[in-house]
Amino acid sequence: QVQLVESGGGLVQAGGSLRLSCIVSGRTFRRYNMGWFRQAPGKEREFVAAISLSGSSTNYADSVKGRFTISRDNARNTIYLQMNSLKPEDTASYYCAADTDYSGSRDYEYDYWGQGTQVTVSS
């Protein structure tokens, strides 16, 4: 059983920064590609960023490129999402996801999900 727990959300003013973390339980973290997704009220869940098993490959949604950075620490079973220059439209619940075979933007491809952490950006 794989469990994912996000943290680091909160309230921040536009232009500010937050760093989200996602800790993955179990001893097989290195086998998982990881992704971040978000969902705002009344909207569909959308892709934010993803990172490969080793961390050598990353990809981002166009809306966050240049502002957000995904990274992973395999020794700590943790991935991060550094979010800079936050905008009110970044307000959403943010979820991390894991999958052994897939590292792209399609949410239905990921097998494991966390419960989410709320990010609110005030204008």
Side-chain angles (χ1 to χ4, degrees):
Q1 184 77 10
V2 177
Q3 292 187 325
L4 289 69
V5 179
E6 302 95 337
S7 63
L11 174 64
V12 64
Q13 288 188 330
S17 298
L18 282 174
R19 188 177 79 157
L20 306 184
S21 300
C22 172
I23 297 176
V24 181
S25 66
R27 301 168 63 182
T28 58
F29 178 68
R30 295 173 187 269
R31 299 181 184 177
Y32 292 98
N33 301 292
M34 301 295 298
W36 284 101
F37 292 80
R38 66 186 182 187
Q39 187 168 21
K43 295 188 177 181
E44 293 186 354
R45 186 164 56 193
E46 65 174 359
F47 170 73
V48 175
I51 189 166
S52 61
L53 301 173
S54 65
S56 60
S57 177
T58 59
N59 62 92
Y60 297 90
D62 288 343
S63 59
V64 307
K65 276 182 183 176
R67 300 189 298 123
F68 290 12
T69 302
I70 188 171
S71 62
R72 66 189 295 158
D73 184 343
N74 284 349
R76 297 178 183 271
N77 283 20
T78 303
I79 65 165
Y80 303 97
L81 185 68
Q82 178 66 44
M83 305 187 295
N84 299 328
S85 303
L86 282 161
K87 305 175 181 179
E89 51 263 44
D90 294 318
T91 295
S93 291
Y94 283 71
Y95 301 87
C96 63
D99 192 81
T100 54
D101 299 317
Y102 183 74
S103 62
S105 61
R106 297 191 294 269
D107 58 355
Y108 56 85
E109 298 279 2
Y110 288 84
D111 286 337
Y112 303 101
W113 291 84
Q115 294 300 307
T117 185
Q118 177 67 35
V119 172
T120 303
V121 184
S122 63
S123 57

